[in-house]
Amino acid sequence: MKQGIMRVKTIRGGRLWLALVLPWLLLKTTDTKAQQVPKPSAADPVNSTMPALLGDTVRVRLELQPDSLVAAPMGPEAIDSARLEWLRTPPTMRDLVCDRVSCFETDVPHQFNNSVMAYVTLFTARNRSYLQRVLERENLYFPLFEKYLAQYNLPLDLKYLAVVESALIPTAKSPVGATGLWQFMGPTAGDLRLKRDEWIDERMAPEKATEAACKHLRYLYGVFHDWELVLAAYNWGAGSVQRVMRRTGKKTFWDLYPHMPAETRNYVPTFTAIMYSMKYAEAHGLRTANLNYQRAEPLDTLGLRGQAFDLRRLSRACGYEDSLYLSRFNPELRRAALPAGYRPYVVRYPAAAAEHLGDVDRATLLDYCQPTEALPLPLAFLPPRLEGVEPWTSRPLLAATEGPRVGEEDAAPRFRRVPHKVRRGETLASLAERFEVSQAQLRRWNELPKGRPLKPGKQLVIFVPLPAPRTPTPATEAAAAPEAVAVVARPLRPTVSPEELAARKAQAEANAREVARLQDIARQEKAQEARLVAIRQRQAIKQAAAEVQARAAARRLAQAQAAEAADDSVPVSAEQPTGAYTVRKGDNLTKLAHQHNVSVAQLVAWNGLDSETVAAGQRLVFEAPAADAAPEAPRKQAKATAKAVAAAEPARAPGQSLGAPQIHLVQPGDTLFNISRRFGVSVKVLRELNHLTSDEVKLGQKLLVPQG
């Protein structure tokens, strides 16, 4: 019985244990099967779209939307902020912004993409306070921008560029030094004639900076003819954009997008996002009633013409508690004051402040606005610090030390300025040796390049050393030594012996005499050269006049003979003269005259020629007409012929004839005039014999010279 009772208890205990363990086993089996659900693959599209119902109907794999961040997981190395913001934005919002941007009627960039949408979200959702601060200043500056943009025929939507640059803060300054509403760098501001000094920086003047920006944008558009590239060049520089265009061969901003720095890549999308956000600020709830909107107010001006001026005193005179209140109307002032003698400037202040000024005239107001304290002066020049050399702070400190001093003998000039004209054959070394100076000194005094020879005729300036001043004798030094030791306890300078001083003085005097002699020689050479030029000119004029007279006389004689022959009734025989010559090809009067020992004027007169030109086949005679051909010729005709022949040969003496020509080789320095004087012939004869068109001859040229 006890055994039966124990068996029943054992069975009951086993059943209780089984009831407790069985649910736990079933739950464990279900979890294991749920974890072994196969992953969807690209090869089984049906499986990838069906819910997993393997063993557990509660765990169902749902289809995710394509714009969800979970649908396309990305590693940390592949995350793009613009793409991430694009994926976070609802599709309806993206479509709405895309439609609005595409409806802009403007020439400025307004392409919509991921980058633009990221910045739109930044300005309208994540950083709304930034754009609201810009909206507060919008009515203050946009009318000014639109005025100048319309004046320069630029798109009015370029006014949003100032928002990208400075957020409409006229005194904004970037870490690299760009300043003002339009963020001009120093060199660009200088090119656009914006003045900058320690008192005024016109990059912060709204009107002047806006006009300069319009000029710069117009220039950039003339270079690129594309507003997206214009904005990129405004940020990066025109030269940088042109270089990357040449390197890549691409012509549009979005083609050049990967080759630009990050700041320039984001510049155009930021501009488009700013333009959209400000145009649709009300739709995004950015314009609220609690914003402190600023608007332009009427201003009055006060002209300054070199008077010292303190802007803080004018602020107090206008009734403002803040002494720097007027700085917002004059943002280009780097300090709240201007010194006396500064260039003309116009101070602006609200016209409503006139009631506080009352009837005060301009002179009284300017006297009141004088600075109460002296304005800061520029720092004094600091001498350069050299290694091992300490600069002296003042002259009294220098005098109290044993350092170098400037005495009366040092203050006196130690050199004499001597001009010198370089002659042929002189070199830098010879001049340095003659005047007892170094070649480096000559080059430094006359700015001569090293390694180039001196050109004859160049004017040089030479500083000739003067003799040293007279120094005390050894006896005088010995007598004054005790007193010097008692008064001054500093070492004396080394003295120069009297013999050396005398030698230096003699050398200086010799140098002075040599310089004077050289100057006299140069003056004589100039005078002689001028006389020779005058003589040559007179001889040339006389010779030209004689030649003209000879030709005129020969022409008159020929005309007279032709007229008499026409009036004469003596019949002309059909036979040709016995001494007639037929002109052949290549003949000329000069050549024929020399061959027959006659002059050109005689040939012209005997043959009745109008000029010295002859043609092939023409008949010429080389002797005077016979006496029977003109028996009634008067005695005057013979005299006129003799005068013409004499005038045609002014340089030939009576009874002198030209001999056979000889060949002369032109030597260095020869001229046609010198050669004619040497051989006793005229320049005209040499020109005609050698067929020269001018008086120029070349070295080595062969000339035919008749023996006079």
Side-chain angles (χ1 to χ4, degrees):
M1 187 175 178
K2 288 182 180 180
Q3 293 178 354
I5 293 172
M6 291 296 292
R7 187 180 298 173
V8 171
K9 288 183 179 180
T10 303
I11 293 172
R12 288 180 179 177
R15 289 178 180 176
L16 181 61
W17 179 83
L18 184 62
L20 293 175
V21 173
L22 186 59
W24 180 81
L25 291 175
L26 291 176
L27 182 60
K28 190 69 175 177
T29 304
T30 306
D31 290 343
T32 304
K33 290 183 178 182
Q35 293 176 1
Q36 294 177 355
V37 175
K39 295 183 180 180
S41 61
D44 191 7
V46 178
N47 253 352
S48 63
T49 57
M50 293 177 61
L53 302 176
L54 300 178
D56 191 0
T57 58
V58 178
R59 292 175 175 260
V60 179
R61 184 158 43 87
L62 300 177
E63 184 74 16
L64 298 176
Q65 296 296 331
D67 62 330
S68 174
L69 292 177
V70 187
M74 297 179 293
E77 67 280 354
I79 293 178
D80 182 11
S81 58
R83 177 66 179 170
L84 186 63
E85 194 62 37
W86 172 276
L87 295 174
R88 288 177 179 174
T89 306
T92 55
M93 185 63 182
R94 287 201 304 269
D95 296 341
L96 179 62
V97 174
C98 181
D99 292 341
R100 288 174 175 174
V101 172
S102 60
C103 292
F104 286 165
E105 295 181 359
T106 179
D107 295 333
V108 298
H110 56 280
Q111 181 175 346
F112 183 78
N113 51 27
N114 300 354
S115 302
V116 175
M117 189 64 220
Y119 281 104
V120 168
T121 306
L122 173 66
F123 295 133
T124 59
R126 297 169 56 192
N127 195 5
R128 296 167 58 89
S129 59
Y130 169 80
L131 199 65
Q132 286 180 338
R133 291 195 303 271
V134 173
L135 291 174
E136 290 179 347
R137 295 183 285 268
E138 174 186 8
N139 297 325
L140 181 61
Y141 294 108
F142 275 11
L144 176 65
F145 297 165
E146 293 172 356
K147 167 189 170 183
Y148 282 100
L149 289 172
Q151 179 179 343
Y152 284 88
N153 296 323
L154 298 174
L156 297 182
D157 286 334
L158 287 176
K159 60 187 178 182
Y160 298 107
L161 183 62
V163 180
V164 180
E165 289 287 347
S166 62
L168 300 184
I169 300 175
T171 57
K173 188 172 182 179
S174 69
V176 296
T179 307
L181 285 170
W182 299 91
Q183 292 291 285
F184 285 122
M185 295 294 291
T188 308
D191 295 340
L192 297 172
R193 303 296 188 269
L194 293 178
K195 299 178 181 178
R196 297 174 297 122
D197 52 33
E198 60 178 336
W199 302 99
I200 288 179
D201 190 349
E202 291 185 350
R203 293 180 294 176
M204 296 184 288
E207 289 203 21
K208 294 183 179 179
T210 302
E211 187 172 5
C214 292
K215 293 179 181 178
H216 190 48
L217 290 171
R218 184 178 61 179
Y219 159 74
L220 293 177
Y221 187 75
V223 173
F224 297 102
H225 300 284
D226 182 84
W227 284 114
E228 291 180 340
L229 291 178
V230 166
L231 295 183
Y234 191 92
N235 175 258
W236 195 20
S240 302
V241 176
Q242 288 175 329
R243 280 193 295 271
V244 74
M245 290 174 67
R246 286 194 298 267
R247 187 175 70 248
T248 60
K250 299 178 181 179
K251 303 298 181 182
T252 63
F253 173 79
W254 296 106
D255 292 338
L256 299 171
Y257 187 84
H259 306 281
M260 293 183 176
E263 181 181 352
T264 308
R265 286 201 304 265
N266 297 330
Y267 197 75
V268 174
T270 304
F271 175 83
T272 306
I274 284 288
M275 181 170 58
Y276 166 80
S277 302
M278 296 192 70
K279 284 180 178 289
Y280 290 92
E282 295 182 357
H284 290 276
L286 294 172
R287 295 186 185 274
T288 58
N290 57 354
L291 295 181
N292 184 19
Y293 295 103
Q294 302 178 16
R295 289 178 174 80
E297 55 181 311
L299 298 178
D300 202 348
T301 59
L302 177 64
L304 303 178
R305 298 184 182 89
Q307 298 92 344
F309 182 79
D310 191 347
L311 192 65
R312 292 165 292 193
R313 293 184 64 82
L314 181 60
S315 299
R316 297 191 188 97
C318 293
Y320 298 110
E321 296 180 358
D322 186 4
S323 60
L324 296 178
Y325 179 81
L326 295 182
S327 298
R328 67 187 66 183
F329 302 102
N330 303 273
E332 64 272 20
L333 287 176
R334 302 182 66 177
R335 305 178 182 181
L338 290 176
Y342 194 74
R343 56 185 173 86
Y345 178 74
V346 177
V347 180
R348 293 174 294 275
Y349 61 92
E355 61 181 8
H356 295 276
L357 298 177
D359 298 335
V360 177
D361 58 347
R362 177 178 176 275
T364 305
L365 182 60
L366 289 177
D367 291 340
Y368 176 77
C369 295
Q370 292 289 320
T372 56
E373 299 178 358
L375 296 178
L377 298 176
L379 295 177
F381 173 74
L382 295 178
R385 289 190 172 274
L386 303 178
E387 185 177 358
V389 178
E390 289 295 332
W392 305 107
T393 57
S394 62
R395 185 172 293 273
L397 181 59
L398 175 63
T401 60
E402 297 183 358
R405 290 168 177 78
V406 180
E408 296 180 358
E409 65 278 4
D410 295 334
R414 291 176 295 175
F415 294 92
R416 184 165 56 89
R417 189 176 185 271
V418 177
H420 176 72
K421 185 177 181 181
V422 179
R423 295 189 298 173
R424 181 175 297 177
E426 290 183 340
T427 62
L428 205 63
S430 63
L431 292 178
E433 184 178 0
R434 179 188 305 174
F435 294 102
E436 291 189 347
V437 294
S438 65
Q439 299 184 30
Q441 288 176 324
L442 288 178
R443 281 196 297 268
R444 184 173 67 252
W445 293 336
N446 299 276
E447 298 181 357
L448 300 176
K450 193 173 183 179
R452 290 189 183 179
L454 295 176
K455 293 183 179 180
K458 183 176 180 60
Q459 199 74 23
L460 299 181
V461 175
I462 303 174
F463 293 92
V464 179
L466 293 177
R470 184 179 301 275
T471 57
T473 61
T476 308
E477 291 180 0
E483 184 180 358
V485 170
V487 176
V488 180
R490 57 191 179 205
L492 297 176
R493 294 186 179 182
T495 59
V496 183
S497 62
E499 294 79 5
E500 186 176 356
L501 287 178
R504 289 184 181 180
K505 184 176 181 180
Q507 185 65 36
E509 293 176 354
N511 291 341
R513 288 194 298 270
E514 179 68 16
V515 170
R517 187 181 65 83
L518 293 177
Q519 291 177 351
D520 293 339
I521 293 175
R523 284 195 295 269
Q524 292 175 5
E525 290 178 352
K526 286 184 179 179
Q528 185 177 1
E529 185 178 356
R531 286 196 298 271
L532 290 177
V533 170
I535 292 173
R536 291 172 185 173
Q537 290 179 352
R538 287 197 297 271
Q539 290 177 351
I541 292 172
K542 289 180 181 180
Q543 183 177 356
E547 293 176 359
V548 171
Q549 291 176 1
R551 291 182 182 179
R555 191 178 297 109
R556 287 195 300 270
L557 180 59
Q559 292 176 357
Q561 289 179 353
E564 291 178 1
D567 296 340
D568 197 359
S569 59
V570 177
V572 180
S573 64
E575 297 180 358
Q576 295 291 339
T578 57
Y581 172 77
T582 303
V583 178
R584 292 191 294 270
K585 186 176 181 180
D587 287 346
N588 54 69
L589 283 184
T590 304
K591 179 179 178 182
L592 296 174
H594 283 296
Q595 290 177 357
H596 295 82
N597 292 328
V598 295
S599 66
V600 177
Q602 289 174 333
L603 288 180
V604 172
W606 293 341
N607 294 276
L609 301 178
D610 295 335
S611 64
E612 298 179 2
T613 305
V614 293
Q618 188 175 353
R619 306 286 293 180
L620 298 176
V621 295
F622 298 98
E623 58 184 5
D628 56 351
E632 298 179 359
R635 188 176 299 175
K636 293 182 180 180
Q637 180 177 353
K639 293 182 179 180
T641 304
K643 289 182 180 179
V645 172
E649 301 180 10
R652 188 184 306 174
Q656 183 182 3
S657 62
L658 296 176
Q662 62 179 357
I663 297 176
H664 172 71
L665 191 65
V666 177
Q667 302 297 325
D670 280 354
T671 62
L672 210 58
F673 177 74
N674 294 342
I675 297 173
S676 65
R677 294 285 298 275
R678 188 182 308 162
F679 291 94
V681 295
S682 65
V683 177
K684 177 183 176 183
V685 173
L686 289 178
R687 280 204 310 264
E688 293 176 349
L689 186 59
N690 295 276
H691 305 288
L692 300 177
T693 58
S694 65
D695 293 345
E696 295 181 0
V697 291
K698 297 181 180 178
L699 182 64
Q701 184 177 356
K702 294 181 180 180
L703 299 178
L704 291 175
V705 181
Q707 296 180 2

